[in-house]
Amino acid sequence: MSAAFLILDDNDVFAGTLARSLARRGFRATVAHTGEEALEAARRERFDYATIDLQLEKDSGLQWVAPLRQALPQARLLVLTGYASIATTVQAIKSGADNYLAKPANVDSILSALSHAAEGEAVAEPVLPVEEASPLSLERLEWEHIQRVLAEHEGNISSTARALNMHRRTLQRKLAKRPVAR
């Protein structure tokens, strides 16, 4: 019997491509576009693996990690995001995710992250050798701090702006920008 794979992602193209790639490798893939759909699928079927997109259209994928962990206690859960930050990584792992992977991610990197999670290794990002490691830029540190404070305020933009002593529109502009790589 093939392993079952649940994909929670609101991007039709990415979810469809991942489902087809997994099917070619012998997995039974089910796509859910909302957290509610994913939870309903988890109640109907036993999944061995699940990917959860961090940025869903109407909400955060982080809020679905704990309910999916409860519904699928034996499954390996992987959070995927285009906006990796330390705060969201920590929150995802604390909520029950086995691993965290930044997009763009292909089927090989997803399966690798899930197999590392199965072995008990957390591999959110490749570890740089010491001679290649560089300090984070000021822009990256600011972005990660904003993400941490945003997570502390449960995604509430207004209260996050007050906590950062920043105008709400300024915060929204900063959040709309892609994070600096390093």
Side-chain angles (χ1 to χ4, degrees), residues 144-174:
E144 290 198 7
H145 178 67
I146 289 171
Q147 293 299 316
R148 183 180 56 77
V149 175
L150 185 63
E152 289 172 1
H153 289 89
E154 299 175 347
N156 185 307
I157 300 289
S158 296
S159 65
T160 301
R162 280 191 298 276
L164 292 170
N165 197 22
M166 181 183 297
H167 193 278
R168 185 180 51 80
R169 286 187 184 158
T170 302
L171 176 60
Q172 287 175 317
R173 279 193 296 275
K174 288 180 180 282

Side-chain angles (χ1 to χ4, degrees), residues 15-144:
T17 302
L18 180 57
R20 285 188 301 279
S21 296
L22 289 166
R24 281 193 293 273
R25 292 172 185 242
F27 291 93
R28 287 180 291 111
T30 300
V31 175
H33 297 293
T34 66
E36 292 89 0
E37 286 178 27
L39 207 50
E40 183 59 36
R43 290 182 183 126
R44 286 191 318 263
E45 185 178 345
R46 180 185 179 271
F47 290 95
D48 302 295
Y49 303 99
T51 59
I52 303 165
D53 186 24
L54 185 68
Q55 286 295 109
L56 298 172
E57 187 174 327
K58 295 181 182 175
D59 53 21
S60 168
L62 280 178
Q63 76 183 58
W64 297 103
V65 175
L68 286 170
R69 168 55 64 213
Q70 188 173 7
L72 302 167
Q74 77 293 342
R76 295 285 170 200
L77 303 182
L78 176 67
V79 173
L80 296 174
T81 183
Y83 304 101
S85 78
I86 294 169
T88 54
T89 302
V90 170
Q91 191 174 357
I93 300 301
K94 282 184 176 179
S95 297
D98 292 298
N99 212 335
Y100 190 94
L101 188 64
K103 285 181 179 177
N106 61 24
V107 71
D108 292 326
S109 59
I110 290 169
L111 293 174
S112 175
L114 286 166
S115 70
H116 286 299
E119 296 165 7
E121 301 174 30
V123 188
E125 289 188 40
V127 178
L128 295 173
V130 175
E131 65 272 9
E132 291 181 37
S134 60
L136 296 177
S137 67
L138 182 58
E139 292 84 10
R140 180 64 185 204
L141 286 172
E142 177 190 43
W143 188 85
E144 290 198 7

